[in-house]
Amino acid sequence: MKTRVLGFVALIAVIGASINGLFVVPADLNQGDAQRIMYVHVASAWIAYASFGVTALAGLGYLIWRDLRLDALALAGAEVGVIFTAFAIWGGMMWGRPVWGVYWQWEDPRLTTTALLLALYVGYLLLRRMTDDPARRAARAAVVGLIAAVDIPVVHFSVIWWRGLHQGPTIGDPSKLLNPSAPLLFVMALLGMLAAFTLAWVYLLIRRYQLARLEWRLEEEARLGRVRDKRQRAVVHAGVEEPAR
């Protein structure tokens, strides 16, 4: 029940933040209405960071404590992160076309490293399908999740380390926390969208974690069922061969 309430609150918050960003906050003087995509684009990127951070930390926790509940949390973070990363890339392309004149440019370090981040975690999800052994799958995925997480700070600081089409960070640079490079109304709208997306992220993470736990239990029941069937067949086979002796 509490999760459903959270989902409802998250939905209302996302709708409210979207209305504020689309219709209440004024358009940017230079970029016009295209700049409004920033609120969704940036919020999606930050949530993707958080998702993959959860995957990395949960994976590290699994390697230490060998608790499959942590593996379920890592899986939830990865799947939700892939969704938000794809959404961030799509939003960036829609924003980039009217501002830069192109949807995509591989020479831009932020675009390239973000595409790599998406590919790494899609690979993480594909790796999990290569074995039915829960412990082996969790251990392999944990290692890959930790390695892939190295790309998170690279994506974030790429606009500072290298030159490209992307503008510098608006509030993500520590030096701009108290003096952001965007008007206060824009910053407040962005923070509002980030808060709304965070609520939606928590809801999706909880739901996917619950589903992952259920999937694990079903897998375990199926595995035990196969073991019982093999034992029963072995007993029957032994019973058939006994009279012949």
Side-chain angles (χ1 to χ4, degrees), residues 25-29 35 38-39 182-191:
V25 177
D28 182 74
L29 292 178
Q35 177 270 337
M38 176 192 74
Y39 306 123
L184 181 60
L185 280 176
F186 291 2
V187 174
M188 295 304 296
L190 177 58
L191 293 177

Side-chain angles (χ1 to χ4, degrees), residues 90 121 148 167-168 224:
W90 174 83
Y121 281 95
Q167 65 186 49
L224 293 176

